[in-house]
Amino acid sequence: MSEAVTTPTHCPYCALQCGMSLSPRAGSVEVVERTDFPVNRGALCGKGRTAPAVLSSRVRLTGPLVRCPDTGALKSATWEEALAAVADGLRRTRADHGPDAVGVFGGGGLTNEKAYTLGKFARLVLATSQIDYNGRFCMSSAAAAHTRAFGLDRGLPFPLEDIPRTGCVILVGSNLAETMPPALRYLTELKENGGKLIVVDPRRTRTAEQADLHLAPRPGTDLALALGLLHLVVAEGRVDEEFVRERTEGWEAAQAGAMSHWPELVERITGVPVPELREAMRMFCDAESGMVLTARGPEQQSKGTDTVGAWINLCLATGRAGRPLSGYGCLTGQGNGQGGREHGQKADQLPGYRKLDDPAARAHVARVWGVAPESLPGPGRSAYELLDALGGEVKSLLLMGSNPVVSAPRAAHIEERLRSLDFLAVADVVLSETAELADVVLPVTQWAEETGTTTNLEGRVLLRQQALTPPDGVRSDLEVLHALAGLLGWEKGFPTDPEEVFDELRRASAGGPADYSGISYRRIREEDGVFWPCPELPEGDAHPGTPRLFLDRFATADGRARFVPVVHRAAAEETDAEYPIVLTTGRVVAQYQSGAQTRRVDELNAAAPGPFVELHPRLADRLGVSDGERVAVVSRRGRAVAPARVTTSIRPDTVFMPFHWPGEGRANTLTNPALDPVSRMPEFKVCAVRLEPAEPSA
C-alpha cells in the first residue's frame, strides 16, 4: 500500500470505537486524528494512540502452532496442517460424544461479520448449542433489564452528544476517566452547561473527583441505594404521575418494593448517609431532564439485572425515560460488545437479536441460511457455565478472541477446565495465556488488517477499514471459518469477503429487534455510522436510522414501559470473621481487559506495569501493611499477591484490584462465579476476602 494513503478507521479497544486514521510510514504506522468523527472528535487515549504497536511481528503471532505429541510443546506448522488438526479434533469429538460435546467461545472484540459467521458455524457446521462469548461478562445484566423494562436492549438509547445537554447525570459504577477517557469530555461539558453530575462508586476515582456529589456505597449494595432514592421520590411527592399513568405499567408493585427501603435502612445497608441520599434525589428531580448511566459496578453482581432494573424504575417514576435528553443507558465496555451479542454469539440468540426459542425467529434465520428450522439447535449454556463444563460434558472447544484464563471468574478453576479438554483450538492475534494451553493456535488478522463493522455503545454501526496488508502467515477469522466449514463438509455458505457476509447479516436481521437491513457499507462511510434499528424501506427510500429510541413509544407490544418490582438482597458471598473485607475489581487507564494485547506495548506497561491492591490507610494500619509492600489477598477460591497501594480514595472496608494480569497477581483467581438468575452474569464486583502479609520476593 502506498505510504501516501491515509485510511479512516476506528480504535480496536473499547465500545466508544473512537475514530482515527492510519497512515503507513516506512517501517511503522502513524495514528492520525479524525477530528470530524462525532464520538471522540479527534481525542484518543494512550491505548488508541499506541494500538499499532501490536501489529508488530515482535509481539504478535505470524504463523500457526500445533502441539507436538512427543514433547508437549507448541511448534510451527503449515496452515494446512493446523486446519486439518482442528477439523479432525472437532470431528472426532462429535463422532464420539455428539455435537453438544463441542463448544464455541467467542469474543466481544470480533466484528459483526465474524460474530455472525461464528454463530452460524456453530449452529450449522458443528450443530452444537454450546456457544457463548465473553460479552456475557460485560453488560448482560443491563441488557436483560433493558429488555424487561423497554422491550429492547441497546446500550445507550440516545447518542453521546445528548449527555452534555441534560440536566443531571447519575453515573453508577463507572470510572470513565480511566475506562473511556475520551468520553469524559461529555461530563465536563455537562457541568460547563450548568448540569449536575452524581457519581456512585465505592472508590473516589478520577471520575468521582469531577462530581458535584459522590456517593460511596459498600460494594454490592447499589440495589438498596437505587431503592432508597425511589423511596424518597415517592415520599417527597416527586413522582411524575402523568408519565407513569400514560406510558408505563406495573408502578404499584414497584412502588411497594421501594417503600420498604426507607432512608435509615438504606444508610445501614450502603453506608451512604441519609443527607446525601436526599441531596442526590433532589438534585436529580430538580433538573428539567436527567439520565442514569450504569456500567460494570452495579451490573457484575449476582443481582445485577434487578439492580439495573431499580435504576430504570427511578428513571420511569420521575419521567426520565422516553423523553428528549432523558433516559437510562448502559456504558458498554468491549469494542463490539453490543454487536457481538446481537448477531449470534450469545447462547440464546440468533442474528438480529432474535430469540433462539422463538419459532418465527428460527424460521426466518433458517430461510436465510437455507436449512430447515428444526435443524437449528436450541439454547445452550451461558459463558461461565460453558467454561465450567469443559472437560466434562463439553470435550472440545473452538475459542476466538478471548482470554478466559485471565478474564473469567474463579480463573484458576477455569484454567484447570481448559487443561482438561480433549482438544482446544484458539484463534487469536497474540499468544495469550489461553492460547498457550491450546492444541492448535491459529494466527488471525487484526483491526488494521481487515475490513468489518462494529456497533458502538450508542448503537452506531461503524466500519473499520483495512489499512494494511497482513503478514503472509496470518489469515482472517472469516477465512479460518470458511476453511474449517469446507473440511467439515460445508462447501458453501461461509464467504470470506466481509461485505458479502454483512449483506447476509442484513437479511438475517431484517424484521428483528436489531434490524440492520437498511444499513450498507456505503451508507456507513457517508454518514459516520448508522444507528440501528434501520430497516430497509420499499421503493428504495433510505431509513434515517434511529439515534434516539422510545420517544414515541417503548418497544413493548403495547408501547408502554414496564416497572419491574425488585427488593434488595445481599451479595452471594457476605463478609464474615474469616473473610472480613470486600474485594472489588476493575480497570486502569493504561491496560485493557485481560491485557493480552496492551501488556505487549512498552509505553502502556511503563504506565501500568503490574497489579496492585488498593486499600485505605486505616485498614493498612490495622493489618500492619505499608505502601508498596507485597500483600496476599485470599478468598474461598484462591490467593493473589500484589503490592499494596495505600490511599484514602477507597472505603476502609473494601480493597480494589485491577484484573488485567495473569500469574500470582491475577485478581480473577479470587472472584466469585455466582450467577445472576436472569442474565447469568458472574459476580465479579464483590466477594469476601482477607489480607495477609506475603512472603518476600525471591
Side-chain angles (χ1 to χ4, degrees), residues 5 53 143 183 199 209 214 245 322 360 444 448-449 615 641 663:
V5 173
V199 171
E209 289 174 353
H214 172 213
R245 182 175 59 255
V444 291
E449 302 164 345
L615 68 162
V641 177

Side-chain angles (χ1 to χ4, degrees), residues 109-133:
L110 300 182
T111 63
N112 290 319
E113 292 80 1
K114 292 190 283 189
Y116 172 85
T117 303
L118 186 61
K120 182 180 179 182
F121 178 87
R123 294 181 173 105
L124 294 192
V125 177
L126 300 177
T128 182
S129 66
Q130 300 304 302
I131 175 173
D132 210 89
Y133 84 128

Side-chain angles (χ1 to χ4, degrees), residues 287-517:
E288 292 186 3
S289 55
M291 298 174 178
V292 173
L293 305 177
T294 68
R296 306 301 79 76
E299 298 163 16
Q300 288 182 327
Q301 299 183 28
S302 60
K303 53 182 181 294
T305 302
D306 282 357
T307 301
V308 173
W311 289 105
I312 291 175
N313 286 349
L314 178 66
C315 290
L316 292 175
T318 55
R320 265 63 170 159
R323 286 176 169 167
L325 306 181
S326 290
Y328 162 79
C330 167
L331 297 166
T332 308
Q334 294 189 83
N336 198 33
Q338 182 74 49
R341 71 180 180 280
E342 291 170 4
H343 298 300
Q345 286 190 99
K346 204 155 170 270
D348 57 349
Q349 287 178 188
L350 287 168
Y353 235 143
R354 288 181 158 91
K355 298 297 290 183
L356 191 52
D357 56 5
D358 177 0
R362 294 170 66 88
H364 173 86
V365 174
R367 279 195 301 274
V368 175
W369 289 351
V371 299
E374 58 270 19
S375 70
L376 299 179
R381 293 177 173 89
S382 70
Y384 181 80
E385 291 165 307
L386 173 56
L387 294 172
D388 190 40
L390 299 181
E393 293 183 27
V394 179
K395 308 291 185 182
S396 294
L397 184 69
L398 173 63
L399 186 147
M400 285 187 151
S402 185
N403 189 19
V405 166
V406 179
S407 64
R410 197 186 173 197
H413 170 72
I414 296 305
E415 182 176 345
E416 291 176 0
R417 294 296 83 220
L418 286 159
R419 291 181 183 276
S420 73
L421 283 165
D422 292 348
F423 181 78
L424 171 63
V426 173
D428 210 334
V429 169
V430 297
L431 190 65
S432 70
E433 287 73 21
T434 304
E436 289 176 352
L437 307 180
D439 297 286
V440 180
V441 181
L442 303 174
V444 291
T445 50
Q446 299 186 52
W447 57 289
E449 302 164 345
E450 60 188 11
T451 294
T453 61
T454 62
T455 306
N456 82 343
L457 75 173
E458 306 166 294
R460 188 193 301 254
V461 185
L462 304 165
L463 185 63
R464 290 185 191 161
Q465 300 192 97
Q466 182 178 357
L468 306 168
T469 301
D472 291 339
V474 171
R475 298 187 183 182
S476 74
D477 297 88
L478 295 180
E479 290 172 327
V480 168
L481 293 172
H482 170 84
L484 289 176
L487 290 171
L488 293 169
W490 288 76
E491 297 296 333
K492 297 181 179 180
F494 292 87
T496 60
D497 176 61
E499 189 165 8
E500 185 178 348
V501 175
F502 188 76
D503 285 341
E504 183 181 305
L505 180 157
R506 293 169 59 196
R507 298 195 301 275
S509 73
D515 191 334
Y516 283 31
S517 59

